[in-house]
Amino acid sequence: LGYWAYNGVRNAVAETQVVGLQALLGTVTTGLEVWVGEHRAETERLARQPWLEERAARLAAAAAGRDAESVRKLCQGTDAVQLSGMLQSRLGTRGVVAILVVDRTGLVLASENPASCGQRLRSAPFRQKLDRALDGAPQFVRPHPDPELSIEGTNGRRRPVAWTIAPIRAGTGPAPVALAI
């Protein structure tokens, strides 16, 4: 009788724990989906701003067919500097650690970090999401331990970060560049 009662209580406690953990998992999953959706929507809203579209289109046109060194110089031009400054002022207090304007080839046309300018992003997960974003669907890139997608922390070590990517349209055609935050 004691063994039967012990097993009954133990099984009831275990079932209660399973139900509680499943509910917690559902809550965390829903919260994460909401967080990702809000960040993706914010990036898309920002990418639709006329001042951003205008400057990004000029940058894309100016960078077409240029080599990386020319693009680095272009990143120091008026459009790139103004664009980076305006983006930083709008996103500065939201925990944003990196902002990029990237073309279809993965070439960084503008960034808050001058060292990123003129670099070509080769990370497969990022490039796949970039292609989808440029086709019109804002994307979320989960943190990867890829050095290209990481930032340097305060301790000097690189840490992975999440990215949201949205197309920056210039007129009615396909998006020539994307905003990655």
Side-chain angles (χ1 to χ4, degrees), residues 18-94:
V18 167
V19 169
L21 289 174
Q22 286 174 335
L24 178 62
L25 178 61
T27 302
V28 170
T29 301
T30 301
L32 186 57
E33 288 171 353
V34 167
W35 182 86
V36 166
E38 286 176 355
H39 281 68
R40 197 178 319 151
E42 177 64 22
T43 303
E44 186 176 21
R45 273 191 300 277
L46 195 54
R48 288 183 182 163
Q49 297 297 313
W51 58 266
L52 178 66
E53 291 173 342
E54 177 186 320
R55 284 176 178 80
R58 284 197 306 253
L59 276 173
R66 290 191 175 192
D67 63 348
E69 188 58 37
S70 298
V71 173
R72 277 190 203 100
K73 289 178 184 173
L74 188 65
C75 282
Q76 298 167 359
T78 306
D79 281 331
V81 170
Q82 285 179 350
L83 190 133
S84 293
M86 294 169 102
L87 286 169
Q88 283 180 322
S89 69
R90 284 173 172 72
L91 296 169
T93 61
R94 297 186 187 156

